[in-house]
Amino acid sequence: MSAEDLEKYETEMELKLYREYRDVVGLFKFVIETERRFYLTNDYELQVHSVQGEVFFEVSMADAWVWDMYRPARFVRKVRVLTFKDVNVEELAKSDLELPSDEAGFGP
């Protein structure tokens, strides 16, 4: 497999992943972003731990979708993430998920 073939394959996988994301994002209420992954979920728990002066985060999620093109199944029943890096949590507003109307000058 050439480098060009590999790049084409990865581009196709990213496009497929984006389309899947677009199809499922409306099912979820929260976006959770860690240094390694991006998750969609409706239920999460974030705990901050401090051990011997070191702070780390523990994020638990149930019924989540994970942005990872190398996973054969992106829906996961339970996820537990431990990280020393930042964790970003964003609540998705339903208006953010709506497509622009034709009245706004978008569309055919």
Side-chain angles (χ1 to χ4, degrees):
M1 178 178 271
S2 71
E4 184 177 310
D5 290 339
L6 181 58
E7 186 174 326
K8 182 179 177 184
Y9 171 78
E10 286 183 347
T11 301
E12 289 172 3
M13 292 298 293
E14 287 176 5
L15 181 58
K16 181 181 173 187
L17 182 60
Y18 170 75
R19 288 178 177 151
E20 184 178 330
Y21 164 80
R22 187 185 62 198
D23 291 343
V24 302
V25 69
L27 303 173
F28 296 97
K29 189 173 179 181
F30 299 100
V31 173
I32 311 287
E33 186 178 4
T34 68
E35 81 274 9
R36 298 199 56 197
R37 298 281 188 274
F38 177 90
Y39 302 89
L40 298 172
T41 188
N42 287 316
D43 185 30
Y44 76 94
E45 183 179 341
L46 176 62
Q47 296 179 12
V48 180
H49 300 281
S50 180
V51 177
Q52 297 179 346
E54 294 288 330
V55 175
F56 67 96
F57 303 95
E58 179 179 358
V59 185
S60 299
M61 294 169 264
D63 298 323
W65 183 89
V66 59
W67 179 287
D68 185 344
M69 69 182 186
Y70 299 107
R71 290 179 64 97
R74 284 178 271 285
F75 284 98
V76 289
R77 187 172 175 166
K78 289 187 178 186
V79 179
R80 181 174 170 238
V81 178
L82 301 173
T83 181
F84 287 96
K85 305 283 185 177
D86 290 342
V87 174
N88 297 310
V89 178
E90 179 181 342
E91 185 171 0
L92 293 169
K94 291 299 177 188
S95 63
D96 292 344
L97 304 176
E98 295 173 4
L99 296 175
S101 68
D102 290 339
E103 296 173 10
F106 298 97

